[in-house]
Amino acid sequence: MKNTRITLKDLAKELNLSASTISRALVNHPAISEATKKIVQKKADELGFIPNSIAASFRMKRTQTIGVIVPRIDIHFHSLVISGIEEFAYNNGYNVTIFQSKDSLKREKEIIKILQNKMVDGVIVCLGIETQNCDHFKKINKSGIPLVFYDRVPTDFDANKIVINDFESAYLATEHLIKNGCTTIGHISGSQTTNIFKARLEGFKAALKKHHLPIEESLILFTKNLTYEEGVACAEKYLESPLKLDGVFCANDYTAVSVIQVFRKAEIKIPEEIAIVGFSNYPISRIIEPHLTTINDRAFQMGEAATKLLIRQIEEKDDDIKSETITLKTELIVRESSSRN
Amino acid sequence: MKNTRITLKDLAKELNLSASTISRALVNHPAISEATKKIVQKKADELGFIPNSIAASFRMKRTQTIGVIVPRIDIHFHSLVISGIEEFAYNNGYNVTIFQSKDSLKREKEIIKILQNKMVDGVIVCLGIETQNCDHFKKINKSGIPLVFYDRVPTDFDANKIVINDFESAYLATEHLIKNGCTTIGHISGSQTTNIFKARLEGFKAALKKHHLPIEESLILFTKNLTYEEGVACAEKYLESPLKLDGVFCANDYTAVSVIQVFRKAEIKIPEEIAIVGFSNYPISRIIEPHLTTINDRAFQMGEAATKLLIRQIEEKDDDIKSETITLKTELIVRESSSRN
DNA sequence: CTGAAAGCGCTTACAG
DNA sequence: CTGAAAGCGCTTACAG
């Protein structure tokens, strides 16, 4: 059953050619005559030749493989990014090997080791929540393997990054609320140790300032992980607030959905009495009623852009480490939750 | 910058030992003395030795890699399965390489080729929608690479499969509606070329029959892909039906959510007037109001079980092809959408 | 308990 | 346009 695979040598013997010629013919080397190429290709098909790309990788020290490290693959955002990575990689002849760090620093370090053992050509990573220090990444980078970060990116060294313009997106979202007549606007934010949530908060404040609205600190609520449950708690706080708010900008869609539900249960009309904007354009945003205005965070494009940058660096000849930051444009998707006409 | 990696030979020279001994010491071979192992390990750490596992794979014809083919990675069900695969594989020393077939047969065949080139040790796959004929999989199987299917599995050959008991799950879900007093129950089904949806429909009918309720064909609606939008259309049909239905069992959660929303908009009380049950336990099921009763389809466990079975077959010595079907137990999660007490 | 030697299947610099 | 030869870094059967 386990038939031994045909090799270049077998093909060579069969055709009275050298293995070198077979090898070259199969990769369409310009020095080989068309006639020979045709003969070789035909024989290869005939005998069901399966090239051993492990042997080739070993020889060339190139695996055509990209390693990906995400906190968890079953978070929709990451699965969208990975989808973009796989798509772009596939179309450019690279394969993708996936690892979940589970937000564990220990595991992240183990994975880095495996990636080096396996000689991946490059690595795309979203840092785990525990990771404050990127020495393990610096090491792999110095060994000549290009690295691109997305979403949660390192601050302690100069790396390739794909990000979105969180500040401006938040600014835009907030301004949209203002333009729809909101004057007392709350914000539900995430952990301030994560840059993107800090930036969203800043953008929110900047928009208020710009439009001469007061920044009510009591309406800025902080959560740990922006979960649905935390969102419910925040919404309940808003209900108890002496300030009568008429708009909320949430740093993600889950919390926005909880706010919608809690307010509706309290018989508050959305968007008439309170307008809501979320962030990320999760599938639920166009299912929840009223449909949620949100920011398209371009997860798929993030994966594509990361892979494109990575492959360019893999295939570039020169060995200088340089780092680029690519900022993707987001988009405000206006739906009913904020549309007062 | 691109420092050349230390090899076994370098280590051997450094320690006045042979490469054989170094190799054995590093894998904890029993024939090597503890003293030697210690020395070797110390030196390896000191010089930052990174084993070249591509060389090892090449030599041993074993890559410790599992190939995974899914239609799309950004479908929540699949990302959950992959999460289970990655987790189990990681804990057992295997890596996971992911490919998306995008439901294209052509692409599926291309991927199979790549997988063979890359000499993965085994493959886990959910068939694409176009795939009626599994010859390409038979071929890779015959070449000695074990294969495990999940969710959409082949019917034209005897393969390893991980499935859930769709029939019984549907039976249970329907019986649950009956026990909550429903007598005129509809079903929203998926494509009948897909076995799981056929089985769910059969389970639905069996439960009605068992409880001596009539099977109203006009209340059994078929969709192509069980999308949210198709669900809306089905719900509207139900509203126009002369039969006054009081329960709906939906073959997935998306359609169940649309039914809830359409009915609520029509001022129908859920669950009092119509009770709803979905299938899959998607995150949205515990967000939508009322929360949706549904079937936990064990996606994560499916990934684990598939990987466990695959690894066992990879590591088994004997070359017989045998096929196992593992059926996972599902679970009915009762929530408000069907609870009439 | 340790070593010498062969070989896995490719690619490529060199030669012609 | 084609070939002979070396070598990538491991593992392992064999010998001692």
Side-chain angles (χ1 to χ4, degrees), chain B residues 34-263:
Chain B
E34 282 308 316
T36 307
K37 282 182 192 167
K38 214 156 279 171
I39 295 172
V40 171
Q41 191 55 63
K42 188 160 160 272
K43 201 62 169 183
D45 291 344
E46 193 185 314
L47 301 187
F49 171 67
I50 300 167
N52 181 333
S53 56
I54 295 294
S57 292
F58 171 51
R59 174 58 230 255
M60 299 198 290
K61 299 173 185 309
R62 282 282 255 96
T63 52
Q64 297 292 120
T65 299
I66 294 172
V68 177
I69 310 179
V70 294
R72 327 186 67 96
I73 199 176
D74 57 344
I75 292 175
H76 187 247
F77 171 74
H78 294 300
S79 76
L80 264 178
V81 173
I82 294 172
S83 174
I85 293 173
E86 198 277 337
E87 177 73 7
F88 194 90
Y90 185 86
N91 292 334
N92 288 274
Y94 285 80
N95 305 137
V96 177
T97 295
I98 307 266
F99 293 84
Q100 304 187 87
S101 69
K102 303 290 184 74
D103 282 313
S104 144
L105 177 59
K106 175 166 163 284
R107 195 145 161 170
E108 211 171 72
K109 287 181 178 172
E110 287 171 7
I111 294 168
I112 286 292
K113 270 213 185 108
I114 297 172
L115 256 19
Q116 288 187 276
N117 293 353
K118 291 217 128 192
M119 308 225 293
V120 296
D121 296 340
V123 179
I124 296 174
V125 22
C126 169
L127 292 178
I129 207 132
E130 285 182 6
T131 309
Q132 304 297 337
N133 167 316
C134 283
D135 290 347
H136 45 310
F137 289 109
K138 284 181 207 160
K139 215 181 293 169
I140 190 174
N141 215 355
K142 246 172 235 142
S143 81
I145 299 179
L147 228 53
V148 176
F149 294 88
Y150 76 88
D151 193 44
R152 217 178 286 135
V153 303
T155 50
D156 64 332
F157 82 117
D158 208 34
N160 294 303
K161 300 170 202 167
I162 312 290
V163 297
I164 56 170
N165 49 350
D166 284 284
F167 178 91
E168 289 171 48
S169 306
Y171 186 97
L172 225 69
T174 310
E175 195 165 56
H176 165 77
L177 286 171
I178 298 170
K179 284 184 180 157
N180 274 268
C182 300
T183 56
T184 312
I185 307 175
H187 176 49
I188 298 181
S189 183
S191 162
Q192 295 303 294
T193 58
T194 303
N195 288 312
I196 59 176
F197 300 126
K198 234 156 81 177
R200 289 177 199 176
L201 173 57
E202 293 312 318
F204 167 75
K205 287 182 176 173
L208 294 185
K209 211 168 281 173
K210 164 81 185 193
H211 290 271
H212 310 295
L213 290 174
I215 293 170
E216 300 288 355
E217 295 292 345
S218 71
L219 295 181
I220 298 174
L221 303 180
F222 296 95
T223 69
K224 204 160 166 279
N225 295 312
L226 288 165
T227 62
Y228 175 79
E229 288 74 17
E230 289 174 308
V232 169
C234 291
E236 283 163 356
K237 267 192 205 148
Y238 283 140
L239 289 181
E240 293 162 8
S241 168
L243 291 165
K244 206 183 159 288
L245 90 174
D246 53 11
V248 186
F249 165 51
C250 304
N252 78 350
D253 283 348
Y254 285 143
T255 50
V257 165
S258 5
V259 169
I260 289 181
Q261 291 190 334
V262 171
F263 285 3

Side-chain angles (χ1 to χ4, degrees), chain B residues 8 20 23-24 49 52 59:
Chain B
L8 285 188
S20 331
S23 172
R24 294 192 184 102
F49 171 67
N52 181 333
R59 174 58 230 255

